[in-house]
Amino acid sequence: MTQICSSVNRIWGCVLLLLCLFDGTTAHAQCVLSPVPQVFHPSVSDVFVRPSSYRLVGQDAADASAVALLRSRLPMSDSKQATPIYIGERDDKAVKRVKRSIPAHSEGYYLSLAEREMVVAGNDEAGTFYGVQTLLQLLSDSLLTPVEVTDYPQMPERGVIEGYYGNPYSHQDRLRLFDFMGEQKMNVFVYGPKDDPYHRSHWREPYPSDEINRMKQLIERARTNHVKFVWAIHPGGDIRWNLDDSLAIVSKCERMYEIGVRSFCVFFDDIGGEGARGEKQAALLNYMTDEFVRKHRDVEPLMMCPTQYNKSWSGGPYLNTLGTVMYPEVRIMWTGATVIDMIDRADMEWINDQIKRKAYIWLNYPVTDYCIDHLLMGKTYGNGLDIGEMVSGFCSNPMEYCEASKLSLYSIADYTWNPIRYDAQASWERAIDYLMPAHREAFRTFCENNVDLGITGHGLRREGESPFFKAVVDDAEKLEAYFQRLIHDADELLDDQSQPELSAEIRPWVQSMKATGERGLSVLAMRKNLKGMGEAEKVKGYHHFMERMFVRNYLNYKKQTEAQRDLRSRDFPGSIKIASPVVATNFVEPWLREQAQTLIDAYKQQSNYGADVFPQQLLAQGTYFIKANGKYLTDTDPRQPNLQAEWIAERDTINPQRQEWTVTLNANTGRYQLVNNQARRYLNEVGRFGANPYHENWNTYELTLKEGRYAIRNAQNGGTDYWTVSPDGRFIGFTSGEPFWFEIVPVE
């Protein structure tokens, strides 16, 4: 009780906790309402059994989506014995008697649940739909207690922006996402996948007919769930700032209007040059407002993502130009103090003053397009609880893993509906229940070992990873139980059939978690063997037995580590980003590596047995930059086969993986693998990204260390020439002359 009452929403939390203590079974559904409602009045009257059938009163006038949802989820009957549900909007006859109880707030609703009757009354159609969603949550238990709810959102627009770099969501992903958003009372979806060519690279071209048909289905599913479908166009990369391009944009918007889109956004993020001119952007948005928006009564004011979309990238008159020149009804998106940031009151005060309007938040969390090997499954925290009135909207940019992203999106919905009463820990716990109710504890273990995103160029870190490990790391017996638990819970999740879409997404990371547990047990076994060697002097033959066991357990550890390293996610033809799943990287993984090396070093001091099986490495496996003359070796376009690697002078903070290289020692060849992290592509012997499958004989390299720099040489079937750089800075993958000495620098 102390933990709940000490949170920002201590009063609300304590009330709900007391309800649970009063009758745990009865109050369960009330305690897990999400988003947390504004006003919740439970009754102390008798508990009653959930009705066996219901009949709707007012269904002909009420919101059609709300009525259809009730009919699909509850047993309906025309019998007078069925419990009536009175449903409708403020002025409808069926709910007229509770009109004064309905909050006069957009999307607000009043709900009452009692044994004899139930009422769902919305201030508008969306309010009725959201009231039905709350009613269905309350009816999830078999025993109920009377309750009244008066509820409405604090933030006007709450939702998801598909704006990441990587494999776009599938059609089915989006359809399921809209149903989820309806359940969680999120009302806006911004369609802006960076790798949809008709959104960005080929923005002037119309969608082909099959894409149009899919888009129509998305728009209709969104509408059914009271989700506003915002279609975004990204012309800034090659816009010419002439009338032809302005007409092309309006024409594209008109085509999207014809298929049902009523909300539009223009992106100018992650560009430079002429496309980034603030006065031109403002003029275009004004032109679109005059020539498109105001010619359609049902089109909402435009949104735009500026080029300077965070404070650290701002400078000059750009933001002020947007704020003073662009029509005031145009919403301007903002990511915070940096690209990857949580939003607080100081952020909002600064940006709102710059742009002369309330900013529209584009939260870059839980997106992982810049740290693709990680899943972010920890609690969603750090956003200000007092900014609800300072934003025009708040959208989360998720991971490319749609189902896994719902853990955080669940909490984003909770936060944006009622930020003052938002409790990050409680919301996270509810989200775990929501996503994996049949395997809650195993899924919780998985989530708490996938929290931190590691060191990136953006600086965001997340706390709370691997808490059980941290608590038992100095207790060998409990530590063994921890690693066994990782294996057990991973096996449970791998066998799960209840949530097939989520299970498929997280499977490579679950396998990685299992491998971490197995490696942990191997390290502990090596520790026991080493200790046994020290105690075996008086027992004939026992010392050698412990030596053999140490080597055997090390080889197990090595095999498990290699199998874990070989795991891949989204490794299919045409994949834009391929991940190598990692888990528990903040505490557990460093401990494993350090312990293994420490034990090996200690073993070598005591024994020469099996010394040849241990690694002899110049460079520890990890993630590195490869540099020459101060420039970074870069994969400039992961979609282009047989591309020549290039040297780029600047560090890429938007898409950093294209300059990051995973270096590992190949166990079979004893040579190093150098793989670019953008799309997991290797360089072949001539310095191009190989179009053929990786082959360890061709695509592993020998390293030579000299004065802190490395020479890289093709080996075996790949030849014996050195990598080098030409005088004009081009990468050449072979030379029989003197080696070129590269910097290979850890990514920090």
Side-chain angles (χ1 to χ4, degrees):
M1 183 168 181
T2 302
Q3 183 178 1
I4 297 176
C5 292
S6 64
S7 65
V8 174
N9 58 346
R10 61 181 298 176
I11 296 175
W12 183 254
C14 289
V15 168
L16 292 182
L17 182 59
L18 288 171
L19 284 170
C20 291
L21 292 174
F22 173 74
D23 185 337
T25 303
T26 304
H28 173 71
Q30 298 165 356
C31 286
V32 298
L33 281 181
S34 191
V36 173
Q38 305 293 337
V39 180
F40 182 90
H41 283 310
S43 171
V44 295
S45 60
D46 292 339
V47 172
F48 63 95
V49 177
R50 182 178 60 203
S52 59
S53 63
Y54 306 83
R55 57 185 175 89
L56 296 181
V57 181
Q59 59 182 324
D60 293 338
D63 173 63
S65 293
V67 170
L69 181 61
L70 280 176
R71 287 193 169 279
S72 69
R73 298 281 294 277
L74 298 179
M76 293 294 168
S77 171
D78 294 330
S79 170
K80 293 296 183 181
Q81 303 302 315
T83 300
I85 300 177
Y86 294 85
I87 186 170
E89 285 76 63
R90 175 175 291 277
D91 294 319
D92 291 351
K93 181 179 178 180
V95 296
K96 185 176 181 179
R97 58 194 169 92
V98 299
K99 182 176 181 178
R100 292 185 177 181
S101 299
I102 302 172
H105 196 295
S106 178
E107 302 178 300
Y109 65 92
Y110 166 80
L111 179 153
S112 69
L113 183 150
E115 185 172 10
R116 292 174 179 254
E117 67 175 31
M118 301 171 190
V119 178
V120 179
N123 185 53
D124 49 30
E125 290 184 339
T128 304
F129 181 76
Y130 293 148
V132 166
Q133 295 287 6
T134 299
L135 178 64
L136 291 173
Q137 287 190 56
L138 290 168
L139 293 176
S140 62
D141 276 357
S142 58
L143 294 178
L144 308 173
T145 190
V147 64
E148 286 184 287
V149 179
T150 305
D151 201 11
Y152 52 87
Q154 288 197 8
M155 295 190 188
E157 294 197 359
R158 313 162 303 281
V160 177
I161 178 164
E162 187 183 341
Y164 56 83
Y165 292 87
N167 299 295
Y169 285 162
S170 71
H171 188 63
Q172 293 302 319
D173 282 338
R174 295 183 184 120
L175 292 175
R176 290 193 303 271
L177 178 62
F178 294 150
D179 292 341
F180 166 86
M181 293 174 69
E183 287 184 12
Q184 301 307 315
K185 305 183 176 72
M186 302 176 100
N187 65 356
V188 61
F189 173 80
V190 182
Y191 178 91
K194 289 293 192 291
D195 292 289
D196 172 357
Y198 303 101
H199 158 74
R200 187 170 63 138
S201 58
H202 300 296
W203 61 268
R204 294 179 183 88
E205 300 176 20
Y207 282 97
S209 58
D210 57 341
E211 289 294 328
I212 284 290
N213 290 333
R214 281 191 286 269
M215 198 75 75
K216 287 179 180 178
Q217 294 177 37
L218 295 177
I219 294 163
E220 177 58 25
R221 181 67 69 88
R223 186 199 62 77
T224 299
N225 285 283
H226 284 273
V227 173
K228 181 191 309 179
F229 186 96
V230 182
W231 180 77
I233 189 169
H234 196 311
D238 63 353
I239 193 168
R240 294 186 291 257
W241 296 128
N242 56 28
L243 181 59
D244 286 345
D245 271 2
S246 296
L247 290 171
I249 293 172
V250 169
S251 176
K252 190 77 169 275
C253 290
E254 288 284 6
R255 180 68 184 103
M256 302 309 294
Y257 178 87
E258 291 173 3
I259 65 171
V261 178
R262 296 296 182 265
S263 300
F264 297 83
C265 185
V266 185
F267 287 1
F268 294 105
D269 56 321
D270 303 339
I271 60 171
E274 283 294 299
R277 293 174 60 181
E279 73 279 7
K280 294 292 188 180
Q281 294 174 5
L284 174 64
L285 270 293
N286 290 348
Y287 175 86
M288 292 176 64
T289 299
D290 290 335
E291 298 300 319
F292 174 66
V293 176
R294 292 176 180 172
K295 292 184 177 181
H296 297 283
R297 293 184 178 180
D298 54 351
V299 171
E300 296 203 348
L302 295 169
M303 297 166 59
M304 67 94 71
C305 180
T307 305
Q308 295 182 15
Y309 56 79
N310 67 88
K311 187 176 181 180
S312 68
W313 289 3
S314 64
Y318 176 88
L319 289 174
N320 186 260
T321 297
L322 295 184
T324 56
V325 176
M326 197 160 60
Y327 290 157
E329 64 263 37
V330 178
R331 278 85 53 83
I332 301 175
M333 307 185 99
W334 186 249
T335 69
T338 61
V339 178
I340 312 295
D341 187 33
M342 298 299 166
I343 313 298
D344 61 22
R345 191 172 188 86
D347 294 330
M348 297 309 306
E349 289 173 346
W350 188 88
I351 185 57
N352 288 353
D353 181 63
Q354 295 288 316
I355 61 177
K356 316 305 179 190
R357 67 201 74 194
K358 295 179 180 179
Y360 199 106
I361 298 304
W362 173 325
L363 184 74
N364 272 322
Y365 186 87
V367 64
T368 55
D369 56 4
Y370 61 101
C371 57
I372 58 174
D373 295 341
H374 293 260
L375 287 184
L376 300 185
M377 307 296 287
K379 63 183 180 181
T380 301
Y381 68 94
N383 294 304
L385 306 183
D386 57 350
I387 65 171
E389 300 300 322
M390 304 177 74
V391 305
S392 59
F394 196 110
C395 280
S396 165
N397 189 17
M399 300 180 280
E400 76 167 62
Y401 300 90
C402 187
E403 297 300 319
S405 293
K406 289 174 183 175
L407 186 83
S408 184
L409 295 179
Y410 182 101
S411 291
I412 294 291
D414 192 13
Y415 165 76
T416 55
W417 183 271
N418 194 351
I420 294 174
R421 290 178 174 145
Y422 177 68
D423 182 324
Q425 181 69 30
S427 188
W428 180 71
E429 298 283 358
R430 293 198 304 272
I432 289 172
D433 272 332
Y434 174 88
L435 285 177
M436 194 70 79
H439 305 281
R440 184 195 189 284
E441 291 306 316
F443 187 54
R444 192 182 196 281
T445 297
F446 175 77
C447 290
E448 67 186 15
N449 284 285
N450 287 277
V451 173
D452 189 45
L453 55 161
I455 298 173
T456 71
H458 297 296
L460 182 71
R461 303 300 296 267
R462 298 280 85 183
E463 64 183 27
E465 186 170 278
S466 309
F468 185 73
F469 171 83
K470 291 172 65 179
V472 304
V473 67
D474 295 323
D475 186 320
E477 184 175 339
K478 292 181 179 178
L479 193 58
E480 183 174 358
Y482 165 77
F483 289 123
Q484 289 172 338
R485 178 180 172 183
L486 292 185
I487 297 169
H488 173 273
D489 289 353
D491 283 336
E492 182 177 334
L493 293 175
L494 291 171
D495 290 340
D496 174 59
Q497 302 296 323
S498 64
Q499 306 292 333
E501 293 86 7
L502 175 60
S503 294
E505 284 186 354
I506 68 174
R507 185 177 183 84
W509 279 269
V510 176
Q511 292 171 323
S512 187
M513 183 174 84
K514 180 175 181 179
T516 295
E518 292 170 339
R519 290 169 62 211
L521 293 181
S522 293
V523 165
L524 293 180
M526 290 163 62
R527 181 193 284 180
K528 291 178 181 178
N529 300 150
L530 190 65
K531 182 180 179 182
M533 287 169 59
E535 298 173 348
E537 298 299 333
K538 297 180 180 180
V539 182
K540 186 177 181 180
Y542 189 64
H543 186 275
H544 182 56
F545 174 74
M546 286 291 103
E547 289 177 319
R548 287 187 286 118
M549 292 303 298
F550 184 95
V551 171
R552 179 183 297 179
N553 284 312
Y554 164 73
L555 291 174
N556 286 339
Y557 172 83
K558 178 182 176 182
K559 180 179 179 181
Q560 293 152 356
T561 301
E562 291 169 353
Q564 184 177 31
R565 189 176 61 234
D566 289 342
L567 291 170
R568 296 289 182 268
S569 176
R570 303 290 167 103
D571 189 4
F572 53 80
S575 178
I576 295 169
K577 294 205 174 195
I578 301 170
S580 296
V582 295
V583 302
T585 57
N586 207 4
F587 303 107
V588 182
E589 181 62 28
W591 182 90
L592 286 173
R593 294 184 184 184
E594 180 182 350
Q595 285 292 307
Q597 190 60 53
T598 299
L599 291 168
I600 291 169
D601 292 344
Y603 174 86
K604 288 179 177 178
Q605 293 178 7
Q606 299 184 39
S607 174
N608 292 321
Y609 175 78
D612 57 325
V613 306
F614 300 114
Q616 308 294 323
Q617 292 184 237
L618 289 177
L619 194 65
Q621 70 177 35
T623 303
Y624 294 85
F625 300 122
I626 301 176
K627 301 178 68 176
N629 302 321
K631 296 182 179 181
Y632 297 84
L633 190 61
T634 304
D635 181 354
T636 56
D637 187 352
R639 293 167 294 187
Q640 184 176 339
N642 203 32
L643 181 75
Q644 185 82 35
E646 294 185 22
W647 297 98
I648 305 295
E650 300 296 327
R651 175 78 174 102
D652 189 339
T653 59
I654 294 296
N655 211 9
Q657 307 90 259
R658 67 189 193 134
Q659 295 175 333
E660 297 174 357
W661 300 78
T662 294
V663 178
T664 55
L665 187 68
N666 184 280
N668 293 328
T669 65
R671 299 188 298 272
Y672 290 85
Q673 300 170 182
L674 309 174
V675 179
N676 185 268
N677 285 3
Q678 170 77 347
R680 297 298 171 187
R681 302 203 296 179
Y682 63 87
L683 282 176
N684 62 23
E685 68 279 6
V686 295
R688 293 183 176 274
F689 288 99
N692 297 322
Y694 169 84
H695 193 287
E696 63 186 18
N697 286 342
W698 280 89
N699 307 121
T700 55
Y701 309 96
E702 294 176 353
L703 299 184
T704 305
L705 178 63
K706 179 181 178 181
E707 297 178 353
R709 294 174 183 255
Y710 295 83
I712 305 173
R713 189 171 69 168
N714 299 317
Q716 203 165 320
N717 294 348
T720 57
D721 294 336
Y722 287 99
W723 288 14
T724 191
V725 177
S726 66
D728 62 359
R730 292 184 300 108
F731 180 82
I732 300 175
F734 58 92
T735 178
S736 57
E738 292 296 316
F740 186 95
W741 298 94
F742 295 87
E743 295 178 73
I744 303 182
V745 184
V747 174
E748 295 182 355

